[in-house]
Amino acid sequence: RSTKRNVVGLVLSNSGANTKGHGDIESVIERVLQTWGPPLWKAMTERSLGSVCPAELVDSFMTYPRRTTAEATAESLRSLQQTDLTSMLSELSCLPTVVVHGSRDPARTFSHAESLSNSISGSRLVVLETGHTSCVEAPDEFAEVIRYVVEQGLGAGTGSAD
């Protein structure tokens, strides 16, 4: 086995170790199963963004749900609901890690991001003026976070460029 690491760092964006406090997953699953289609997809897209979404971006976001089913989406949500990785977070301290939080995220609160960051020793918490999709809403700032993590990871010898 190779001793090279394929991962040099982590950027955890508008995320968490579990779905606790992430809204009523059961009602979301029911809504997915009962109203799957463009109106729901558009509503979920708009809810995720912290600002008005340009029409072309909404169109882009709509391509993914067209390729999946309500049942597959509900199953994915159920899986997330049953998953809790909190006990494993301390193992990530060996990697440069940045937790990114959107200040206007309706799904994840600042306290979620703070708890996630505090559970990973040495991680940084970066707050962007975005909703739940920071990488889309603030691509330049998000790219800076990724560059920072890669530079830290490669500089610390935790990864390899080849």
Side-chain angles (χ1 to χ4, degrees), residues 133-145:
T133 53
S134 298
C135 59
V136 172
E137 296 173 77
D140 294 337
E141 293 93 334
F142 200 85
E144 279 301 314
V145 170

Side-chain angles (χ1 to χ4, degrees), residues 36-38 41 58-70 73:
W36 188 250
W41 307 338
V58 172
D59 290 343
S60 176
F61 274 114
M62 300 287 267
T63 61
Y64 175 75
R66 283 186 184 113
R67 295 186 308 232
T68 189
T69 65
T73 302

Side-chain angles (χ1 to χ4, degrees), residues 14 20-23 47-48 101 104-109 112 131-132:
N14 301 82
K20 291 181 178 81
H22 195 267
R47 180 183 180 274
S48 293
H101 176 70
R104 296 184 305 269
D105 185 345
R108 290 281 181 182
T109 66
H112 287 121
H132 193 66

Side-chain angles (χ1 to χ4, degrees), residues 77-94:
L77 290 168
R78 285 187 191 104
S79 175
L80 288 171
Q81 187 181 33
Q82 296 168 7
T83 301
D84 188 347
L85 303 174
T86 305
S87 65
M88 300 172 73
L89 294 176
S90 63
E91 297 174 32
L92 301 177
S93 64
C94 63

